[in-house]
Amino acid sequence: PGWVRTEASMRSLGRMAEQGGVSEPALLEDMVGAQALPGLMEPADMAGTYLFLASDLAANITGQSLGVDRGEVPW
């Protein structure tokens, strides 16, 4: 998935900001700005995708990549 607000992702954000010499809020703003939908996903935002893939509705889906990333543009 794209960026999801978890303890681990926020630690990564902090390390990336430190290594890049920028503030965490500035880096987060840049990352969120590279998405079609504003904001950071929360863990619960992924639940529907997981439930769908685990259900019979997805029985004919194999070997596919499903992007759940708020329309993130790689940077």
Side-chain angles (χ1 to χ4, degrees):
W3 279 87
V4 178
R5 188 184 309 275
T6 63
E7 287 182 35
S9 68
M10 294 299 98
R11 280 194 305 271
S12 292
L13 178 75
R15 283 192 298 273
M16 291 169 60
E18 184 178 321
Q19 291 172 353
V22 298
S23 70
E24 288 182 39
L27 180 57
L28 183 58
E29 185 177 325
D30 284 348
M31 290 170 26
V32 170
Q35 300 174 161
L37 301 174
L40 202 56
M41 286 190 290
E42 298 295 331
D45 295 331
M46 298 299 302
T49 303
Y50 292 134
L51 290 172
F52 167 70
L53 290 173
S55 77
D56 288 340
L57 295 172
N60 293 303
I61 298 175
T62 62
Q64 300 300 309
S65 173
L66 182 61
V68 181
D69 56 14
R70 301 186 69 79
E72 185 176 331
V73 177
W75 49 289

Short mmCIF file of all heavy atoms in Angstrom, two decimals:
data_model
loop_
_atom_site.label_atom_id
_atom_site.label_comp_id
_atom_site.label_asym_id
_atom_site.label_seq_id
_atom_site.Cartn_x
_atom_site.Cartn_y
_atom_site.Cartn_z
N PRO A 1 0.83 -1.20 0.00
CA PRO A 1 0.00 0.00 0.00
C PRO A 1 0.86 1.26 0.00
O PRO A 1 2.08 1.20 0.20
CB PRO A 1 -0.79 -0.13 1.29
CG PRO A 1 0.07 -0.94 2.19
CD PRO A 1 0.80 -1.89 1.27
N GLY A 2 0.20 2.37 -0.20
CA GLY A 2 0.89 3.65 -0.05
C GLY A 2 1.18 3.91 1.42
O GLY A 2 1.10 3.00 2.25
N TRP A 3 1.44 5.14 1.77
CA TRP A 3 1.76 5.49 3.15
C TRP A 3 0.55 5.34 4.04
O TRP A 3 -0.50 5.92 3.78
CB TRP A 3 2.30 6.91 3.22
CG TRP A 3 3.74 6.97 2.86
CD1 TRP A 3 4.25 7.12 1.60
CD2 TRP A 3 4.85 6.86 3.73
NE1 TRP A 3 5.61 7.09 1.64
CE2 TRP A 3 6.01 6.94 2.95
CE3 TRP A 3 4.97 6.69 5.10
CZ2 TRP A 3 7.29 6.87 3.48
CZ3 TRP A 3 6.24 6.63 5.64
CH2 TRP A 3 7.38 6.71 4.83
N VAL A 4 0.70 4.55 5.09
CA VAL A 4 -0.35 4.32 6.08
C VAL A 4 0.22 4.80 7.42
O VAL A 4 1.35 4.47 7.78
CB VAL A 4 -0.74 2.83 6.17
CG1 VAL A 4 -1.79 2.60 7.23
CG2 VAL A 4 -1.22 2.32 4.81
N ARG A 5 -0.57 5.56 8.15
CA ARG A 5 -0.10 6.10 9.43
C ARG A 5 0.00 4.97 10.47
O ARG A 5 -0.99 4.55 11.06
CB ARG A 5 -1.05 7.18 9.95
CG ARG A 5 -0.52 7.91 11.18
CD ARG A 5 -1.52 8.92 11.73
NE ARG A 5 -2.04 9.81 10.73
CZ ARG A 5 -1.46 10.94 10.31
NH1 ARG A 5 -0.31 11.30 10.82
NH2 ARG A 5 -2.04 11.68 9.38
N THR A 6 1.20 4.46 10.65
CA THR A 6 1.49 3.46 11.68
C THR A 6 2.74 3.93 12.42
O THR A 6 3.44 4.83 11.96
CB THR A 6 1.78 2.07 11.07
OG1 THR A 6 2.95 2.15 10.25
CG2 THR A 6 0.59 1.56 10.24
N GLU A 7 3.02 3.30 13.55
CA GLU A 7 4.23 3.65 14.28
C GLU A 7 5.46 3.44 13.41
O GLU A 7 6.36 4.28 13.37
CB GLU A 7 4.34 2.82 15.56
CG GLU A 7 3.37 3.23 16.63
CD GLU A 7 3.56 2.41 17.90
OE1 GLU A 7 4.72 2.07 18.23
OE2 GLU A 7 2.56 2.13 18.56
N ALA A 8 5.51 2.34 12.70
CA ALA A 8 6.66 2.02 11.85
C ALA A 8 6.83 3.04 10.72
O ALA A 8 7.94 3.48 10.44
CB ALA A 8 6.52 0.61 11.28
N SER A 9 5.73 3.41 10.07
CA SER A 9 5.86 4.35 8.95
C SER A 9 6.27 5.74 9.44
O SER A 9 7.03 6.44 8.77
CB SER A 9 4.57 4.42 8.13
OG SER A 9 3.52 5.02 8.85
N MET A 10 5.80 6.12 10.62
CA MET A 10 6.18 7.43 11.16
C MET A 10 7.65 7.44 11.59
O MET A 10 8.33 8.45 11.44
CB MET A 10 5.27 7.83 12.32
CG MET A 10 3.81 8.06 11.91
SD MET A 10 3.56 9.40 10.70
CE MET A 10 3.46 8.52 9.15
N ARG A 11 8.16 6.30 12.07
CA ARG A 11 9.60 6.20 12.35
C ARG A 11 10.39 6.33 11.06
O ARG A 11 11.42 7.02 11.00
CB ARG A 11 9.94 4.89 13.06
CG ARG A 11 9.65 4.89 14.54
CD ARG A 11 10.30 3.70 15.24
NE ARG A 11 9.94 2.42 14.65
CZ ARG A 11 8.89 1.68 15.00
NH1 ARG A 11 8.06 2.11 15.93
NH2 ARG A 11 8.67 0.52 14.42
N SER A 12 9.94 5.67 10.01
CA SER A 12 10.60 5.77 8.70
C SER A 12 10.58 7.20 8.19
O SER A 12 11.58 7.68 7.66
CB SER A 12 9.92 4.86 7.68
OG SER A 12 10.11 3.51 7.99
N LEU A 13 9.46 7.87 8.35
CA LEU A 13 9.35 9.26 7.94
C LEU A 13 10.39 10.10 8.68
O LEU A 13 11.06 10.93 8.07
CB LEU A 13 7.94 9.79 8.21
CG LEU A 13 7.71 11.25 7.87
CD1 LEU A 13 7.62 11.44 6.36
CD2 LEU A 13 6.47 11.78 8.54
N GLY A 14 10.52 9.88 9.98
CA GLY A 14 11.51 10.61 10.77
C GLY A 14 12.92 10.37 10.29
O GLY A 14 13.71 11.32 10.16
N ARG A 15 13.25 9.12 9.98
CA ARG A 15 14.60 8.81 9.48
C ARG A 15 14.83 9.44 8.11
O ARG A 15 15.90 9.98 7.83
CB ARG A 15 14.81 7.30 9.42
CG ARG A 15 15.08 6.68 10.78
CD ARG A 15 15.57 5.25 10.67
NE ARG A 15 14.60 4.34 10.05
CZ ARG A 15 13.64 3.71 10.71
NH1 ARG A 15 13.51 3.86 12.00
NH2 ARG A 15 12.83 2.90 10.07
N MET A 16 13.82 9.38 7.25
CA MET A 16 13.95 9.97 5.92
C MET A 16 14.14 11.48 6.02
O MET A 16 14.97 12.05 5.29
CB MET A 16 12.72 9.65 5.07
CG MET A 16 12.60 8.20 4.67
SD MET A 16 11.00 7.78 3.94
CE MET A 16 10.96 8.84 2.51
N ALA A 17 13.40 12.12 6.90
CA ALA A 17 13.52 13.57 7.08
C ALA A 17 14.90 13.92 7.59
O ALA A 17 15.54 14.85 7.09
CB ALA A 17 12.46 14.07 8.04
N GLU A 18 15.38 13.16 8.57
CA GLU A 18 16.72 13.41 9.13
C GLU A 18 17.79 13.24 8.06
O GLU A 18 18.68 14.08 7.92
CB GLU A 18 16.96 12.45 10.29
CG GLU A 18 18.27 12.70 11.01
CD GLU A 18 18.45 11.76 12.18
OE1 GLU A 18 17.46 11.48 12.89
OE2 GLU A 18 19.59 11.29 12.38
N GLN A 19 17.72 12.16 7.30
CA GLN A 19 18.72 11.91 6.26
C GLN A 19 18.65 12.96 5.15
O GLN A 19 19.67 13.30 4.56
CB GLN A 19 18.52 10.52 5.66
CG GLN A 19 18.88 9.41 6.62
CD GLN A 19 18.51 8.04 6.10
OE1 GLN A 19 17.87 7.89 5.05
NE2 GLN A 19 18.89 7.00 6.84
N GLY A 20 17.45 13.48 4.88
CA GLY A 20 17.29 14.47 3.83
C GLY A 20 17.49 15.90 4.31
O GLY A 20 17.45 16.84 3.51
N GLY A 21 17.67 16.07 5.62
CA GLY A 21 17.88 17.40 6.16
C GLY A 21 16.66 18.30 6.08
O GLY A 21 16.79 19.51 5.92
N VAL A 22 15.47 17.69 6.18
CA VAL A 22 14.23 18.46 6.15
C VAL A 22 13.40 18.11 7.38
O VAL A 22 13.65 17.10 8.04
CB VAL A 22 13.40 18.19 4.87
CG1 VAL A 22 14.17 18.59 3.63
CG2 VAL A 22 13.00 16.73 4.78
N SER A 23 12.41 18.91 7.67
CA SER A 23 11.55 18.63 8.81
C SER A 23 10.56 17.52 8.44
O SER A 23 10.22 17.35 7.26
CB SER A 23 10.80 19.88 9.25
OG SER A 23 9.83 20.23 8.28
N GLU A 24 10.09 16.80 9.45
CA GLU A 24 9.09 15.76 9.21
C GLU A 24 7.81 16.34 8.59
O GLU A 24 7.29 15.77 7.62
CB GLU A 24 8.77 15.00 10.49
CG GLU A 24 9.88 14.09 10.93
CD GLU A 24 9.53 13.31 12.19
OE1 GLU A 24 8.36 12.87 12.32
OE2 GLU A 24 10.42 13.14 13.03
N PRO A 25 7.29 17.47 9.12
CA PRO A 25 6.08 18.02 8.51
C PRO A 25 6.28 18.40 7.03
O PRO A 25 5.39 18.19 6.21
CB PRO A 25 5.77 19.25 9.35
CG PRO A 25 6.40 18.98 10.68
CD PRO A 25 7.65 18.19 10.35
N ALA A 26 7.45 18.92 6.69
CA ALA A 26 7.71 19.30 5.29
C ALA A 26 7.77 18.07 4.40
O ALA A 26 7.22 18.07 3.29
CB ALA A 26 9.00 20.10 5.19
N LEU A 27 8.42 17.02 4.88
CA LEU A 27 8.51 15.79 4.10
C LEU A 27 7.13 15.16 3.93
O LEU A 27 6.76 14.74 2.84
CB LEU A 27 9.47 14.80 4.76
CG LEU A 27 9.67 13.48 4.04
CD1 LEU A 27 10.15 13.68 2.60
CD2 LEU A 27 10.64 12.59 4.81
N LEU A 28 6.36 15.13 5.01
CA LEU A 28 5.01 14.57 4.93
C LEU A 28 4.14 15.37 3.96
O LEU A 28 3.40 14.81 3.16
CB LEU A 28 4.36 14.54 6.32
CG LEU A 28 2.98 13.93 6.41
CD1 LEU A 28 2.97 12.48 5.90
CD2 LEU A 28 2.47 13.99 7.83
N GLU A 29 4.28 16.68 3.99
CA GLU A 29 3.53 17.53 3.06
C GLU A 29 3.90 17.22 1.61
O GLU A 29 3.04 17.15 0.74
CB GLU A 29 3.79 19.00 3.36
CG GLU A 29 2.97 19.96 2.52
CD GLU A 29 3.21 21.41 2.90
OE1 GLU A 29 3.42 21.69 4.10
OE2 GLU A 29 3.19 22.25 1.99
N ASP A 30 5.18 17.02 1.35
CA ASP A 30 5.62 16.65 0.00
C ASP A 30 5.04 15.31 -0.43
O ASP A 30 4.60 15.14 -1.56
CB ASP A 30 7.15 16.59 -0.08
CG ASP A 30 7.81 17.95 -0.12
OD1 ASP A 30 7.10 18.96 -0.32
OD2 ASP A 30 9.04 18.01 0.04
N MET A 31 5.07 14.35 0.48
CA MET A 31 4.57 13.01 0.15
C MET A 31 3.07 13.04 -0.11
O MET A 31 2.61 12.47 -1.10
CB MET A 31 4.90 12.04 1.28
CG MET A 31 6.37 11.74 1.37
SD MET A 31 6.92 10.83 2.83
CE MET A 31 5.54 9.93 3.36
N VAL A 32 2.34 13.70 0.75
CA VAL A 32 0.89 13.78 0.58
C VAL A 32 0.54 14.60 -0.66
O VAL A 32 -0.44 14.32 -1.35
CB VAL A 32 0.23 14.36 1.85
CG1 VAL A 32 -1.23 14.68 1.64
CG2 VAL A 32 0.39 13.38 3.01
N GLY A 33 1.37 15.58 -0.97
CA GLY A 33 1.16 16.39 -2.16
C GLY A 33 1.34 15.62 -3.46
O GLY A 33 0.92 16.07 -4.52
N ALA A 34 1.98 14.45 -3.37
CA ALA A 34 2.20 13.62 -4.56
C ALA A 34 1.10 12.58 -4.73
O ALA A 34 1.28 11.58 -5.40
CB ALA A 34 3.57 12.94 -4.47
N GLN A 35 -0.05 12.81 -4.09
CA GLN A 35 -1.18 11.89 -4.17
C GLN A 35 -2.38 12.62 -4.77
O GLN A 35 -2.56 13.81 -4.55
CB GLN A 35 -1.58 11.40 -2.77
CG GLN A 35 -0.50 10.67 -2.04
CD GLN A 35 -0.88 10.33 -0.62
OE1 GLN A 35 -0.27 9.48 -0.06
NE2 GLN A 35 -1.86 10.97 -0.02
N ALA A 36 -3.19 11.88 -5.49
CA ALA A 36 -4.42 12.46 -6.05
C ALA A 36 -5.42 12.78 -4.95
O ALA A 36 -6.16 13.75 -5.04
CB ALA A 36 -5.02 11.52 -7.07
N LEU A 37 -5.47 11.95 -3.92
CA LEU A 37 -6.37 12.16 -2.78
C LEU A 37 -5.54 12.64 -1.60
O LEU A 37 -4.57 11.99 -1.23
CB LEU A 37 -7.09 10.86 -2.41
CG LEU A 37 -7.94 10.23 -3.50
CD1 LEU A 37 -8.47 8.88 -3.05
CD2 LEU A 37 -9.08 11.15 -3.88
N PRO A 38 -5.90 13.77 -1.01
CA PRO A 38 -5.09 14.30 0.09
C PRO A 38 -5.20 13.45 1.35
O PRO A 38 -6.16 12.73 1.56
CB PRO A 38 -5.69 15.69 0.32
CG PRO A 38 -7.09 15.59 -0.17
CD PRO A 38 -7.06 14.61 -1.29
N GLY A 39 -4.19 13.55 2.18
CA GLY A 39 -4.20 12.89 3.48
C GLY A 39 -3.44 11.59 3.49
O GLY A 39 -3.06 11.04 2.47
N LEU A 40 -3.21 11.13 4.70
CA LEU A 40 -2.48 9.89 4.93
C LEU A 40 -3.50 8.81 5.28
O LEU A 40 -4.44 9.06 6.04
CB LEU A 40 -1.52 10.11 6.10
CG LEU A 40 -0.32 9.21 6.23
CD1 LEU A 40 0.53 9.24 4.98
CD2 LEU A 40 0.52 9.65 7.43
N MET A 41 -3.34 7.63 4.72
CA MET A 41 -4.25 6.54 5.04
C MET A 41 -4.06 6.11 6.49
O MET A 41 -2.96 6.19 7.03
CB MET A 41 -4.01 5.34 4.13
CG MET A 41 -4.51 5.53 2.73
SD MET A 41 -4.47 4.00 1.76
CE MET A 41 -2.71 3.76 1.54
N GLU A 42 -5.13 5.65 7.08
CA GLU A 42 -5.11 5.05 8.40
C GLU A 42 -5.19 3.53 8.21
O GLU A 42 -5.67 3.06 7.17
CB GLU A 42 -6.30 5.54 9.24
CG GLU A 42 -6.31 7.03 9.49
CD GLU A 42 -5.14 7.51 10.35
OE1 GLU A 42 -4.65 6.72 11.18
OE2 GLU A 42 -4.73 8.67 10.19
N PRO A 43 -4.74 2.74 9.18
CA PRO A 43 -4.82 1.29 9.02
C PRO A 43 -6.21 0.78 8.65
O PRO A 43 -6.34 -0.12 7.81
CB PRO A 43 -4.37 0.76 10.39
CG PRO A 43 -3.43 1.81 10.88
CD PRO A 43 -4.04 3.12 10.41
N ALA A 44 -7.24 1.37 9.20
CA ALA A 44 -8.62 0.93 8.90
C ALA A 44 -8.98 1.15 7.44
O ALA A 44 -9.87 0.47 6.91
CB ALA A 44 -9.61 1.65 9.80
N ASP A 45 -8.29 2.09 6.77
CA ASP A 45 -8.58 2.35 5.36
C ASP A 45 -8.22 1.16 4.48
O ASP A 45 -8.72 1.05 3.35
CB ASP A 45 -7.81 3.58 4.87
CG ASP A 45 -8.26 4.86 5.54
OD1 ASP A 45 -9.44 4.95 5.93
OD2 ASP A 45 -7.42 5.78 5.68
N MET A 46 -7.39 0.27 4.96
CA MET A 46 -6.97 -0.90 4.19
C MET A 46 -7.92 -2.08 4.38
O MET A 46 -7.91 -3.02 3.61
CB MET A 46 -5.55 -1.33 4.62
CG MET A 46 -4.49 -0.29 4.38
SD MET A 46 -4.31 0.13 2.64
CE MET A 46 -3.94 -1.46 1.94
N ALA A 47 -8.75 -2.03 5.41
CA ALA A 47 -9.59 -3.17 5.77
C ALA A 47 -10.48 -3.65 4.62
O ALA A 47 -10.59 -4.85 4.37
CB ALA A 47 -10.44 -2.84 6.99
N GLY A 48 -11.13 -2.73 3.93
CA GLY A 48 -12.02 -3.12 2.84
C GLY A 48 -11.30 -3.88 1.74
O GLY A 48 -11.83 -4.86 1.20
N THR A 49 -10.09 -3.44 1.43
CA THR A 49 -9.31 -4.12 0.39
C THR A 49 -8.97 -5.54 0.82
O THR A 49 -9.13 -6.49 0.05
CB THR A 49 -8.01 -3.34 0.11
OG1 THR A 49 -8.34 -2.02 -0.27
CG2 THR A 49 -7.20 -4.01 -0.98
N TYR A 50 -8.52 -5.70 2.06
CA TYR A 50 -8.18 -7.03 2.56
C TYR A 50 -9.40 -7.94 2.63
O TYR A 50 -9.33 -9.11 2.27
CB TYR A 50 -7.51 -6.94 3.94
CG TYR A 50 -6.15 -6.29 3.91
CD1 TYR A 50 -5.80 -5.34 4.84
CD2 TYR A 50 -5.21 -6.64 2.95
CE1 TYR A 50 -4.55 -4.74 4.83
CE2 TYR A 50 -3.96 -6.05 2.92
CZ TYR A 50 -3.63 -5.10 3.86
OH TYR A 50 -2.40 -4.52 3.84
N LEU A 51 -10.52 -7.39 3.09
CA LEU A 51 -11.74 -8.19 3.17
C LEU A 51 -12.20 -8.62 1.78
O LEU A 51 -12.62 -9.77 1.59
CB LEU A 51 -12.85 -7.41 3.88
CG LEU A 51 -12.63 -7.21 5.37
CD1 LEU A 51 -13.69 -6.25 5.92
CD2 LEU A 51 -12.67 -8.53 6.11
N PHE A 52 -12.12 -7.72 0.81
CA PHE A 52 -12.49 -8.07 -0.56
C PHE A 52 -11.60 -9.19 -1.09
O PHE A 52 -12.08 -10.19 -1.62
CB PHE A 52 -12.41 -6.85 -1.47
CG PHE A 52 -12.46 -7.20 -2.94
CD1 PHE A 52 -13.64 -7.65 -3.51
CD2 PHE A 52 -11.33 -7.09 -3.72
CE1 PHE A 52 -13.69 -7.99 -4.86
CE2 PHE A 52 -11.37 -7.42 -5.07
CZ PHE A 52 -12.55 -7.88 -5.64
N LEU A 53 -10.28 -9.04 -0.94
CA LEU A 53 -9.36 -10.04 -1.48
C LEU A 53 -9.51 -11.40 -0.79
O LEU A 53 -9.23 -12.43 -1.40
CB LEU A 53 -7.92 -9.54 -1.38
CG LEU A 53 -7.58 -8.38 -2.32
CD1 LEU A 53 -6.20 -7.85 -2.01
CD2 LEU A 53 -7.70 -8.81 -3.77
N ALA A 54 -9.94 -11.39 0.47
CA ALA A 54 -10.13 -12.64 1.20
C ALA A 54 -11.51 -13.26 0.95
O ALA A 54 -11.76 -14.38 1.39
CB ALA A 54 -9.94 -12.40 2.69
N SER A 55 -12.36 -12.56 0.24
CA SER A 55 -13.72 -13.04 0.02
C SER A 55 -13.85 -13.81 -1.28
O SER A 55 -12.95 -13.80 -2.14
CB SER A 55 -14.69 -11.86 0.00
OG SER A 55 -14.62 -11.17 -1.25
N ASP A 56 -15.00 -14.46 -1.45
CA ASP A 56 -15.30 -15.17 -2.70
C ASP A 56 -15.42 -14.21 -3.87
O ASP A 56 -15.30 -14.63 -5.03
CB ASP A 56 -16.59 -15.97 -2.55
CG ASP A 56 -16.41 -17.18 -1.64
OD1 ASP A 56 -15.25 -17.61 -1.43
OD2 ASP A 56 -17.43 -17.69 -1.13
N LEU A 57 -15.68 -12.92 -3.61
CA LEU A 57 -15.79 -11.94 -4.70
C LEU A 57 -14.48 -11.81 -5.47
O LEU A 57 -14.48 -11.42 -6.63
CB LEU A 57 -16.19 -10.57 -4.13
CG LEU A 57 -17.57 -10.50 -3.50
CD1 LEU A 57 -17.77 -9.15 -2.81
CD2 LEU A 57 -18.65 -10.73 -4.54
N ALA A 58 -13.38 -12.16 -4.85
CA ALA A 58 -12.08 -12.06 -5.50
C ALA A 58 -11.55 -13.42 -5.95
O ALA A 58 -10.38 -13.56 -6.26
CB ALA A 58 -11.08 -11.40 -4.55
N ALA A 59 -12.43 -14.41 -6.02
CA ALA A 59 -12.01 -15.78 -6.33
C ALA A 59 -11.32 -15.92 -7.68
O ALA A 59 -10.49 -16.80 -7.86
CB ALA A 59 -13.23 -16.71 -6.28
N ASN A 60 -11.59 -15.04 -8.62
CA ASN A 60 -11.00 -15.16 -9.95
C ASN A 60 -9.85 -14.19 -10.17
O ASN A 60 -9.38 -14.04 -11.30
CB ASN A 60 -12.08 -14.94 -11.01
CG ASN A 60 -13.08 -16.07 -11.00
OD1 ASN A 60 -12.71 -17.22 -11.16
ND2 ASN A 60 -14.34 -15.75 -10.77
N ILE A 61 -9.39 -13.56 -9.13
CA ILE A 61 -8.26 -12.64 -9.23
C ILE A 61 -6.99 -13.39 -8.84
O ILE A 61 -6.90 -13.92 -7.74
CB ILE A 61 -8.46 -11.41 -8.33
CG1 ILE A 61 -9.69 -10.63 -8.78
CG2 ILE A 61 -7.22 -10.52 -8.34
CD1 ILE A 61 -10.05 -9.47 -7.88
N THR A 62 -6.05 -13.44 -9.75
CA THR A 62 -4.77 -14.10 -9.47
C THR A 62 -3.63 -13.28 -10.02
O THR A 62 -3.76 -12.66 -11.07
CB THR A 62 -4.70 -15.50 -10.11
OG1 THR A 62 -4.80 -15.35 -11.52
CG2 THR A 62 -5.80 -16.40 -9.60
N GLY A 63 -2.54 -13.23 -9.31
CA GLY A 63 -1.31 -12.62 -9.80
C GLY A 63 -1.43 -11.17 -10.21
O GLY A 63 -0.80 -10.75 -11.17
N GLN A 64 -2.24 -10.39 -9.52
CA GLN A 64 -2.44 -9.00 -9.89
C GLN A 64 -1.87 -8.07 -8.82
O GLN A 64 -1.76 -8.44 -7.66
CB GLN A 64 -3.93 -8.69 -10.05
CG GLN A 64 -4.61 -9.52 -11.11
CD GLN A 64 -4.01 -9.32 -12.48
OE1 GLN A 64 -3.85 -8.19 -12.92
NE2 GLN A 64 -3.67 -10.40 -13.14
N SER A 65 -1.53 -6.91 -9.24
CA SER A 65 -1.09 -5.87 -8.32
C SER A 65 -2.24 -4.88 -8.15
O SER A 65 -2.76 -4.37 -9.14
CB SER A 65 0.14 -5.15 -8.89
OG SER A 65 0.49 -4.06 -8.09
N LEU A 66 -2.62 -4.65 -6.93
CA LEU A 66 -3.72 -3.74 -6.64
C LEU A 66 -3.15 -2.58 -5.85
O LEU A 66 -2.71 -2.74 -4.71
CB LEU A 66 -4.80 -4.48 -5.84
CG LEU A 66 -6.05 -3.72 -5.48
CD1 LEU A 66 -6.77 -3.27 -6.75
CD2 LEU A 66 -6.96 -4.58 -4.64
N GLY A 67 -3.14 -1.41 -6.46
CA GLY A 67 -2.57 -0.23 -5.81
C GLY A 67 -3.58 0.44 -4.90
O GLY A 67 -4.60 0.94 -5.36
N VAL A 68 -3.31 0.44 -3.62
CA VAL A 68 -4.12 1.17 -2.64
C VAL A 68 -3.20 2.23 -2.07
O VAL A 68 -2.47 1.99 -1.11
CB VAL A 68 -4.66 0.22 -1.54
CG1 VAL A 68 -5.52 0.99 -0.56
CG2 VAL A 68 -5.42 -0.93 -2.16
N ASP A 69 -3.18 3.39 -2.72
CA ASP A 69 -2.16 4.38 -2.38
C ASP A 69 -2.63 5.82 -2.53
O ASP A 69 -1.81 6.73 -2.62
CB ASP A 69 -0.93 4.16 -3.24
CG ASP A 69 -1.23 4.21 -4.73
OD1 ASP A 69 -2.33 4.66 -5.12
OD2 ASP A 69 -0.36 3.80 -5.52
N ARG A 70 -3.93 6.04 -2.56
CA ARG A 70 -4.52 7.37 -2.69
C ARG A 70 -4.04 8.08 -3.96
O ARG A 70 -3.97 9.29 -4.02
CB ARG A 70 -4.23 8.21 -1.46
CG ARG A 70 -4.77 7.58 -0.17
CD ARG A 70 -4.64 8.45 1.04
NE ARG A 70 -5.49 9.61 1.01
CZ ARG A 70 -6.79 9.64 1.30
NH1 ARG A 70 -7.39 8.54 1.64
NH2 ARG A 70 -7.47 10.75 1.27
N GLY A 71 -3.71 7.31 -4.99
CA GLY A 71 -3.27 7.90 -6.25
C GLY A 71 -1.86 8.45 -6.19
O GLY A 71 -1.56 9.46 -6.81
N GLU A 72 -1.00 7.78 -5.46
CA GLU A 72 0.38 8.26 -5.26
C GLU A 72 1.15 8.28 -6.57
O GLU A 72 1.10 7.35 -7.36
CB GLU A 72 1.09 7.33 -4.28
CG GLU A 72 2.46 7.78 -3.90
CD GLU A 72 3.09 6.87 -2.85
OE1 GLU A 72 2.35 6.27 -2.06
OE2 GLU A 72 4.32 6.78 -2.86
N VAL A 73 1.86 9.35 -6.79
CA VAL A 73 2.73 9.50 -7.95
C VAL A 73 4.15 9.28 -7.45
O VAL A 73 4.60 9.98 -6.53
CB VAL A 73 2.60 10.90 -8.57
CG1 VAL A 73 3.57 11.07 -9.72
CG2 VAL A 73 1.17 11.16 -9.01
N PRO A 74 4.88 8.29 -7.97
CA PRO A 74 6.26 8.04 -7.49
C PRO A 74 7.12 9.28 -7.62
O PRO A 74 7.02 10.01 -8.60
CB PRO A 74 6.76 6.93 -8.40
CG PRO A 74 5.54 6.33 -9.03
CD PRO A 74 4.50 7.42 -9.05
N TRP A 75 7.98 9.49 -6.64
CA TRP A 75 8.88 10.64 -6.68
C TRP A 75 10.28 10.24 -6.41
O TRP A 75 10.68 9.27 -6.03
CB TRP A 75 8.45 11.75 -5.74
CG TRP A 75 8.12 11.35 -4.34
CD1 TRP A 75 7.04 10.63 -3.91
CD2 TRP A 75 8.87 11.62 -3.16
NE1 TRP A 75 7.07 10.46 -2.57
CE2 TRP A 75 8.19 11.06 -2.08
CE3 TRP A 75 10.05 12.30 -2.91
CZ2 TRP A 75 8.64 11.14 -0.78
CZ3 TRP A 75 10.49 12.38 -1.61
CH2 TRP A 75 9.80 11.81 -0.56
#
